[in-house]
Amino acid sequence: MDEQLEIPRVVVGVDGSASSQAALRWAVRYAGLVGGKVEAVTAWDLPGAGTWSAPAVDTDFDEEEAERRLVEEVRTVLGEGGAGQVHERLVRGNPAEVLVDQAEGADMLVVGSRGHGGFRRALLGSVSQQVALHAPCPVTIIRPDAPAE
């Protein structure tokens, strides 16, 4: 009877888009319901760094600045109280691959339906589509909050 109860782990992709902000809010609410913890993950990579198709164009990437912006994004979306419930993580790599890797052992992976790229009319972005297909845990895809009228 010496079982250790693991705290449910909720991983959420954050990229600054309206969809990812809605996903972050949803993940925190869900974690509160299940007594879990939230890990907000932002992926970064140098364009063309992994292929021969193009030269890396952002060699001056400031990782500390990116980490600061991630923490600031979480605080802006959730406020100080909500942000205290979230652990932020900046990881280098392809966003879909990073999120799938970070979701290993998680109880839930939460992503927005669309990030900053892609086509406006697309219902599902490429990252959300890839994580839905390859994640090692259940995935929840959140559409952006409807604008207030």
Side-chain angles (χ1 to χ4, degrees), residues 51-73:
T51 67
W52 291 99
S53 63
V57 294
D58 192 4
T59 57
D60 293 331
F61 180 80
D62 186 343
E63 193 168 346
E64 287 180 15
E65 174 67 14
E67 286 177 3
R68 187 192 62 72
R69 286 193 320 228
L70 171 58
V71 169
E72 185 177 296
E73 171 85 9

Side-chain angles (χ1 to χ4, degrees), residues 26-50:
W26 191 95
V28 169
R29 283 192 303 268
Y30 175 78
L33 292 172
V34 299
K37 60 183 178 180
V38 177
E39 296 177 10
V41 177
T42 294
W44 70 276
D45 208 357
L46 299 175

Side-chain angles (χ1 to χ4, degrees), residues 99-137:
L99 290 171
V100 167
D101 289 346
Q102 294 296 307
E104 190 66 45
D107 294 87
M108 177 75 65
L109 173 59
V110 184
V111 293
S113 59
R114 292 191 62 255
H116 282 298
F119 300 98
R120 288 240 174 242
R121 286 189 259 166
L123 294 176
L124 197 63
S126 61
V127 171
S128 55
Q129 186 174 27
Q130 288 301 308
V131 300
L133 292 171
H134 301 289
C137 64

